[in-house]
Amino acid sequence: MATTKRVIPIAQAKTVSPEDALLRNGWKRQTTIGEPRLSEIVKNYQGMGFEVHVEEYKVEGDGCNTCFDAGQEMGMSYGTVYVRKSADAAPDDELFED
C-alpha cells in the first residue's frame, strides 16, 4: 500500500522595504549624503517646490561602504533624500524634467 503525501501550498509573505513603499507612493531617490550638504539639498529641493523625505542611511548588502563607515565612526550621520513633486508645485520647468 503506497502512502500519498499531501502537500499544502504555503504562500510566501511579501515583505515590502521602506524604500519600496516610498517608491510606490511617487517618491524618487536622489542621493545619500551627510551634513552639511544634506540640509542644503533638502532646502534647495523644497525651494523648487518639491516635497522632501529623508531616511537615515543604514548599511545594507555587501557593497563597499568604507566611506560611510569611516564617517559614522567620526560621528557623522548620513541621510538618503527622496523627493516628489508637490501637489501645488509650479508648472514643469524643462531644466528639471526627468
Side-chain angles (χ1 to χ4, degrees), residues 6-41:
R6 184 171 174 200
V7 178
I8 300 172
I10 299 173
Q12 294 286 329
K14 294 182 181 178
T15 56
V16 177
S17 73
E19 182 176 58
D20 288 341
L22 287 168
L23 297 175
R24 285 188 189 148
N25 287 314
W27 294 94
K28 292 183 181 180
R29 181 175 26 155
Q30 296 300 317
T31 190
T32 299
I33 197 162
E35 291 295 353
R37 301 295 178 244
L38 176 60
S39 293
E40 292 172 359
I41 287 173

Side-chain angles (χ1 to χ4, degrees), residues 2 8 10-12 24 34-35 37 40-41 43 46 51 55 67 69 71 79 81 92 95:
I8 300 172
I10 299 173
Q12 294 286 329
R24 285 188 189 148
E35 291 295 353
R37 301 295 178 244
E40 292 172 359
I41 287 173
K43 190 175 181 178
Q46 289 172 335
E51 291 181 67
E55 286 281 327
C67 297
D69 293 341
V81 178
D92 287 341
L95 182 63

